[in-house]
Amino acid sequence: MMDAVTLRALEAFPDQLEAHFAAFPPSFRHWAPPSWDGVPSEAFTAIEQVCHVRDIEILGYHLRLRRTLAETDPILASIDSEVLAIERDYGSADAQAALAAFRAARLETLAIISGLSDADFARTAVFEGYGPLTLRSLIHYLCSHDQQHLAGLQWLRGKIDAAGLSGH
């Protein structure tokens, strides 16, 4: 069984992501700082952060979880987030559609991991850039990824305020 604190964090994240994104005035949802030094996530604007989280959930974690459950020691590919952002034109995405798609994807993630046995959580794989892991490890990495992007959104808000742009 997966620990309750991690499951609660995964369940709460869609609401947290939506609230953090909604805190950006619309005119700052595409804003980028002059320097990304110190950003705790990928160097993405607010709308790009939302699109990234959606796509990593679907193209990354859904596939990784399913492969780890179905295959013996699969090698799980990392995704080049910057290339994906360009290919999918994150900057012109509809925020509400991206948030809704992420919310649906997270429900699917939770469905994949609900009811798994301890043996399922102990299944192993090799994740490019992370090394050997278990399915349980992968779920912890997903939860960590969520937190990195909340931190990235807060970091962007801090940069907006530090530049005197927020009007507050």
Side-chain angles (χ1 to χ4, degrees):
M1 169 175 261
M2 198 68 211
D3 66 276
V5 70
T6 302
L7 285 175
R8 280 194 305 270
L10 292 170
E11 291 166 352
F13 182 64
D15 288 340
Q16 293 172 341
L17 179 65
E18 198 166 316
H20 278 69
F21 183 77
F24 281 81
S27 60
F28 288 101
R29 291 179 177 174
H30 298 278
W31 182 84
S35 168
W36 289 97
D37 289 348
V39 68
S41 64
E42 287 85 354
F44 287 150
T45 65
I47 185 61
E48 291 169 341
Q49 296 262 357
V50 170
C51 293
H52 167 78
V53 167
R54 173 202 62 203
D55 287 349
I56 293 304
E57 188 87 4
I58 297 166
L59 303 173
Y61 281 93
H62 285 177
L63 181 62
R64 293 172 189 142
L65 292 166
R66 287 186 175 113
R67 288 192 61 211
T68 302
L69 285 166
E71 301 174 29
T72 301
D73 291 320
I75 297 177
L76 308 174
S78 188
I79 293 173
D80 188 329
S81 300
E82 291 178 15
V83 169
L84 197 59
I86 293 165
E87 289 175 354
R88 294 186 163 224
D89 193 18
Y90 286 177
S92 66
D94 176 87
Q96 293 314 309
L99 287 162
F102 172 72
R103 187 176 290 279
R106 178 50 57 91
L107 287 174
E108 186 173 338
T109 300
L110 293 167
I112 292 169
I113 65 175
S114 69
L116 294 179
S117 68
D118 284 338
D120 291 328
F121 284 116
R123 290 188 62 83
T124 57
V126 177
F127 189 1
E128 185 179 65
Y130 288 80
L133 51 66
T134 64
L135 186 94
R136 187 184 313 276
S137 303
L138 195 57
I139 296 166
H140 285 298
Y141 294 151
L142 171 57
C143 193
S144 169
H145 184 258
D146 288 352
Q147 301 308 307
Q148 290 167 15
H149 286 283
L150 291 181
L153 289 167
Q154 285 291 342
W155 183 90
L156 275 170
R157 300 258 332 271
K159 285 292 188 179
I160 289 166
D161 192 72
L165 301 171
S166 68
H168 295 103

